[in-house]
Amino acid sequence: MDNIYLYMIIALAILAIADLVVGVSNDAVNFLNSAIGSKAISFRTIMIVASVGVAVGAVFSSGMMEVARKGIFNPGEFMFDEIMIIFMAVMITDILLLDFFNSVGMPTSTTVSIVFELLGAAVAMALIKIGHNSGDFSDVINYINTSKASQIIFGILLSVVVAFSIGALVQWVSRVLLSYNFEKKAHWVGALFGGFALTAITYFIFMKGLKGTSYAQESFEILGGGTMKDFLENQVLSIVIVCSLFWSILSYILIAIVKTNIYKLIIIVGTFALALAFSGNDLVNFIGVPVAAYNAFLEWTASGLPANAFSMEVLAKKVPTNNWLLLAAGMIMVLTLWFSTKAKNVVKTSLDLSSQGETKERFQPNFLSRGFVRSAMLMSQMTSYMLPESWQQKIDKQFETPALALSKTKKTDIPAFDLVRAAVNLMVAAVLISIATSYKLPLSTTYVTFMVAMGTSLADRAWGAESAVYRVAGVINVIGGWFFTAISAFCAAALVAYLLNLNIQVMFPILLAIAFALLVRSSIVHSKKSKQVRASDSLKKAESSSIQGVIVESAGNIANVVKRGNKIYTNSINGLAKQDLTLLKKNNKQIVKLSQEVEDLRDNIFYFIKNLDDSSVGASNFYINILGYLQDMTQSLEYISKVSHKHVNNNHKKLKFNQIKELKEVDEVLEKLFNATKESFETQSFEQIGEILGSKNKLFSLVTEKIQKQVERTRTEESSPKNTTLYFGVLLETKDLLNATMNLLEEYHEAHDSSVKPATIEVNEPIVTQVEDASNSTEEE
């Protein structure tokens, strides 16, 4: 029985490594989004700076490890066997919960996860003990460190409001003083901003962060024989004044003489500092529980007592964490930072919601977001009545965005926001997190950095009329996800603790196997999704500035749409013929994905037109028409796919043999058409388009003929209204699909060679022959 605890320690060590990986994937957004969003420095430089910050911060995190040991529950109330169940339940739950949020690309809080998991598992074990001892339910408060736990939870919730408010206030003041043309301001303005920002970052991160380490307890003769911690606490004002003067003078020298961009320097230092603060504050979330479990195991083995008789009062004492262990954890975090694709996915969500320009909106508006936006607009109107018009005009002028977003810059090269906002994000977040760290409060770095970014976005007027409801909906979704984290973490950890308590020798390996199986499955699913994003069939946005370039670029998209459309149409017919619900359901997903990609191309039209040369403005009409026809094609395919799925899913009568046979004939002819179209666009043999257009009348005649045959059947032998409706619906949408395809081909044909008329082109023999063969085979029947 005793060996089971050794195995649990080994499992906890492995889970700690896995938790570091999934935790950093989630929390990388905290210190990367400002530098990446502003594009102030190269991605490689950002990663190097952040990596150094994470490694240094890991060594500074020793003081925070006490939270996992005694911050949430009273360890003296539990025996060793019970505490190991709590710790194992926490780690299994934590790793699965974080991985789920990473997979869907939503930033959640590792701090909230660990706090509520510890709370849930401790409450579950407390209730089990109370039940065995026939105690009262109210006795549960004896097991929980209610004062510290409530302080932590209140601090986490308060941080949401504080971070948003302070971020918005500081950004508004900064923008009013600096405007968007901050680089043209007098040197002393930039120097003062740089001095203030760098003082805040260096004091609250390096000074306050250093307080929690073992190094701060050492005595220094230069400090009058006291410790560095004493010096930092007693000389706050002096340090701030000296730092402000030093950084302001240095900033002025760098701006005026060295010609350095001080805002880029702030972003570099801020990224390092925030990475350091993140690592110092959040490392406890990943390895705090395994370290506490290891300390408990060492004490228990030294005692020689049975596991159910050794009290965990020892965990209430302060035990310094080995610095080499912290450094090793830091190295794992750094490696994850470089190689995790999920981290990049989470960063993208935060950047999309704070972007100054237009982005693909991931969230749909809801009644809450619409209500908030309307309220904000009313408040804005009320403010305008209170302020003098001259003041309003001056303020509005400071918020006028430069022509960057409207210039001939590729959309992918436009920063999500400028250097001032990035600097404010880093400065405010670093200050708030560092204050909490200095008081040993495990503040949620995710909540703080995300809400600061949202506050600065609001103050910077990034949420305009066209994006506000989507952005606010996104923020509501993310915050809602945080509450879901707390509730699910509490309940899941409590459940796992209960299961482990039933029979630890049986449940421990089973739950561990389930956890690792789910992690592997999640990794495989994420890998498949990443491959789908990079798939060769995905549609590419036009970036050419001439009509010739657009013709060539659009050819690939048309070939892909036709190729995928051909497969979707065939699968719909085959699904109806075989009553294959699984195939039709999969087909529905494929057409929804294709429709969304075409819609994304249409969303990019604004940037495409702005990117055109003055001599090639005519390309815009061509491109807009092409996208319109592609959308018509996908809408027809979407209708056919959905009605086919609906018919089979509702268990309606199967189509008759003749109906299926005729649909197969139409499908074969369409396949010939689509294959010929795909080949001509893939090889860019645009002269073949005229030959394909020659089969237009025959194709329409074939579909019309099938419709007429169904009319005759309906009058004489058809008895199913559902079958008739489905059959007519599929054929009519097929005509629309053909019409959109032919219109697209004609548009391309005219753009490529306006002197060639479709009517004079020789007919493509294989397609026409196929049409005639289909008609003859029907007539013979």
Side-chain angles (χ1 to χ4, degrees), residues 358-378:
E358 296 296 319
T359 62
K360 179 185 174 183
E361 304 296 351
R362 290 183 49 183
F363 302 94
Q364 293 302 312
N366 51 51
F367 74 97
L368 283 175
S369 67
R370 294 187 185 100
F372 280 129
V373 170
R374 289 193 186 101
S375 300
M377 291 173 68
L378 287 172

Side-chain angles (χ1 to χ4, degrees), residues 10 46 61 66 73 87 140 172 238 240 325 529 587 613 623 634 643 660:
I10 295 170
I46 293 170
S61 66
E66 300 300 309
F73 55 85
F87 287 154
V140 74
W172 189 86
S238 302
V240 169
L325 179 63
K529 284 183 179 178
N587 205 42
D613 292 335
Y623 188 59
T634 55
V643 295
I660 292 173

Side-chain angles (χ1 to χ4, degrees), residues 162-298:
V162 172
F164 185 86
S165 304
I166 294 180
L169 178 62
V170 175
Q171 177 60 34
W172 189 86
V173 172
S174 299
R175 186 63 71 198
V176 168
L177 294 175
L178 297 171
S179 80
Y180 279 95
N181 296 314
F182 53 90
E183 292 178 343
K184 297 179 181 178
K185 294 285 182 181
H187 294 330
W188 66 268
V189 176
L192 284 179
F193 183 84
F196 179 79
L198 291 171
T199 298
I201 291 170
T202 51
Y203 178 77
F204 285 105
I205 297 298
F206 298 124
M207 304 296 190
K208 290 285 189 180
L210 192 63
K211 270 175 54 177
T213 68
S214 57
Y215 309 111
Q217 307 301 326
E218 297 178 11
S219 296
F220 294 88
E221 290 185 9
I222 194 172
L223 304 178
T227 65
M228 180 173 286
K229 180 180 178 183
D230 296 332
F231 178 77
L232 294 174
E233 289 178 347
N234 297 330
Q235 304 296 329
V236 174
L237 186 60
S238 302
I239 293 171
V240 169
I241 292 172
V242 172
C243 281
S244 297
L245 290 172
F246 171 77
W247 283 117
S248 296
I249 294 169
L250 181 61
S251 297
Y252 187 85
I253 293 170
L254 290 173
I255 295 170
I257 300 173
V258 186
K259 304 299 180 184
T260 300
N261 189 323
I262 194 65
Y263 300 96
K264 289 187 178 181
L265 177 62
I266 294 169
I267 290 168
I268 292 172
V269 176
T271 299
F272 169 82
L274 205 54
L276 182 146
F278 148 76
S279 185
N281 189 83
D282 279 15
L283 190 59
V284 62
N285 302 340
F286 313 135
I287 67 168
V289 166
V291 167
Y294 180 65
N295 291 338
F297 179 76
L298 291 179

Side-chain angles (χ1 to χ4, degrees), residues 193 275 603 754:
F193 183 84
D603 290 342
S754 59

Side-chain angles (χ1 to χ4, degrees), residues 511-526:
L511 290 172
L512 199 63
I514 291 172
F516 281 114
L518 289 173
L519 274 180
V520 171
R521 179 182 175 275
S522 172
S523 180
I524 293 170
V525 170
H526 178 74

Side-chain angles (χ1 to χ4, degrees), residues 345-359:
N345 195 23
V346 179
V347 170
K348 185 178 184 304
T349 299
S350 182
L351 288 180
D352 285 347
L353 289 174
S354 58
S355 174
Q356 190 73 33
E358 296 296 319
T359 62

Side-chain angles (χ1 to χ4, degrees), residues 622-664:
F622 167 75
Y623 188 59
I624 290 168
N625 288 340
I626 290 297
L627 292 183
Y629 296 136
L630 288 178
Q631 189 174 49
D632 290 342
M633 291 172 66
T634 55
Q635 284 174 348
S636 294
L637 288 166
E638 191 168 6
Y639 177 85
I640 293 169
S641 177
K642 285 185 175 179
V643 295
S644 302
H645 175 265
K646 180 182 177 182
H647 187 87
V648 175
N649 196 34
N650 289 340
N651 299 308
H652 294 316
K653 284 184 180 179
K654 186 178 179 181
L655 291 178
K656 292 186 175 180
F657 176 77
N658 283 340
Q659 290 174 318
I660 292 173
K661 190 172 185 297
E662 289 170 10
L663 287 176
K664 289 270 191 181

Side-chain angles (χ1 to χ4, degrees), residues 129 175 185 263 275 283 320 329 384 416 460 505 508 523 600 756:
K129 284 175 67 78
R175 186 63 71 198
K185 294 285 182 181
Y263 300 96
L283 190 59
S384 66
D460 224 14
Q505 290 184 310
F508 163 61
S523 180
D600 289 345
V756 178

